[in-house]
């Protein structure tokens, strides 16, 4: 597949049943300019909570000539390095990276196997939503931020994927694994069906890895035709950004060392979506998600090992209507989802 140029990712919520569009245009290969010579070198990212070391300046022309430069920008680091800090957390059933600016995860990674789904060691009734104490207080998403916000606390790694252990399931309820999601029609419906699709992949593949996270994508202004990123922020004071979209990048492994990996990438709007909408309508090239998120997912996976997931299997949701009592439970507690799946 040639390099895809991300020309447009947009969503439009409709009145009834959500007429949603997610368009990725232009597949023209683009010549990348040669990489410039780096002016700094950096060290590997730090563990959660620790500030990363400052960049190490490369020798300047002044230094090479043995002359002291008139300025020292690195001197400000004696007072602290500004970041950004990734806040990477490794837990039993997930690994997450947190964005302090939006108070949402940048990405959350999980691993699903037939064995993990067959074990029933956890019960979500024993789990509660938690603020993550590993983060500095001023950067934490708070339970009160979701209070009467109109949005669910939407899992990125679902609790049902961690039912093999109670502690593992409990850790999926940290707010660092949550984003504000539309409830009816998305978090409790279509998003849940996509999560179920990921689990059903284990019927074909012995190992399934999924990375999920939020996106903040532009929309064209109807008046002046310009593209703008516009999203709501909830909380008092406003703290937590409401993503415009969510992505899932799927790695379905055939189980052989050095074997093939079926890749699938999906981008869904944070809006009510009709269950009649085909999942393939939201399939996108993995490069499109990378361009939109600023992340890289498969740079170490050789091209010859890559397969397109939706060419290998039928990518479709299986609609399972939850009981009304369960939906009420999910939407209770002042509009904050307790999300049962």
């Amino acid at each position: 597949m040639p390099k895809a140029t991300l020309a447009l990712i947009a969503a439009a919520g409709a009145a009834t049943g959500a007429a949603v569009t997610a368009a990725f245009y232009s597949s023209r290969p683009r010549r990348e300019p040669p990489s410039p010579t780096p002016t700094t070198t950096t060290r590997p990212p730090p563990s959660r909570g620790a500030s990363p070391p400052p960049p190490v300046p490369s020798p300047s022309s002044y230094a090479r000539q043995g002359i002291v430069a008139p300025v020292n920008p690195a001197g400000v680091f004696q007072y602290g390095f500004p970041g950004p800090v990734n806040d990477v957390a490794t837990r039993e059933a997930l690994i997450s990276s947190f964005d302090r600016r939006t108070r949402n995860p940048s990405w959350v990674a999980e691993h699903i196997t037939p064995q993990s789904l067959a074990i029933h060691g956890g019960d979500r009734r024993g789990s509660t939503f938690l603020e993550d104490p590993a983060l500095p207080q001023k950067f934490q998403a708070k339970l009160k931020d979701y209070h009467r916000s109109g949005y669910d606390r939407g899992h990125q790694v679902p609790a049902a994927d961690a039912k093999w252990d109670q502690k593992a399931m409990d850790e999926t309820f940290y707010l660092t694994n949550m984003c504000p999601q539309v409830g009816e029609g998305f978090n409790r419906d279509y998003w849940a069906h996509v999560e179920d699709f990921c689990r059903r992949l284990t019927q074909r593949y012995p190992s399934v890895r999924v990375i999920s996270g939020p996106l903040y994508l532009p929309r064209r202004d109807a008046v002046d035709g310009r593209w703008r990123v516009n999203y709501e922020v909830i909380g008092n004071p406003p703290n937590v950004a409401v993503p415009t979209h969510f992505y899932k990048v799927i790695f379905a492994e055939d189980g052989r060392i050095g074997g093939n990996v079926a890749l699938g990438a999906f981008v869904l709007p944070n809006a009510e979506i009709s269950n009649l909408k085909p999942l393939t309508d939201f399939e996108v090239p993995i490069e499109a998600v990378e361009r939109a998120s600023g992340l890289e997912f498969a740079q170490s996976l050789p091209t010859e090992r890559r397969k397109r997931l939706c060419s290998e299997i039928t990518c479709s949701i299986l609609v399972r209507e939850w009981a009304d009592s369960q939906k009420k439970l999910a939407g209770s507690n002042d509009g904050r989802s307790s999300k049962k799946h």
Side-chain angles (χ1 to χ4, degrees), residues 282-294:
F282 304 106
E283 183 190 12
V284 299
I286 191 171
E287 294 88 351
V289 182
E290 292 177 332
R291 289 180 181 275
S293 65

Side-chain angles (χ1 to χ4, degrees), residues 319-340:
V319 177
R320 295 173 176 171
E321 297 294 345
W322 307 105
D324 288 341
S325 59
Q326 290 178 308
K327 281 197 172 186
K328 289 179 181 178
L329 173 63
S332 64
N333 206 7
D334 297 314
R336 299 169 296 171
S337 173
S338 57
K339 199 169 183 188
K340 67 269 163 208

Side-chain angles (χ1 to χ4, degrees), residues 105-172:
S106 298
W107 53 265
V108 190
E110 62 170 319
H111 185 208
I112 314 170
T113 66
Q115 294 78 14
S116 70
L117 295 178
I119 302 171
H120 298 273
D123 185 342
R124 71 124 355 257
R125 290 175 296 181
S127 304
T128 57
F129 290 95
L130 298 168
E131 296 163 3
D132 195 332
L135 291 172
Q137 280 279 343
K138 62 183 177 181
F139 298 124
Q140 290 180 12
K142 302 292 186 180
L143 294 171
K144 66 180 181 180
D145 292 330
Y146 284 85
H147 182 68
R148 296 189 177 181
S149 69
Y151 292 97
D152 285 3
R153 296 165 293 195
H155 285 69
Q156 298 307 286
V157 169
D161 291 0
K163 64 182 180 180
W164 49 270
D165 179 75
Q166 187 64 52
K167 181 176 183 290
M169 179 173 283
D170 290 346
E171 290 177 341
T172 68

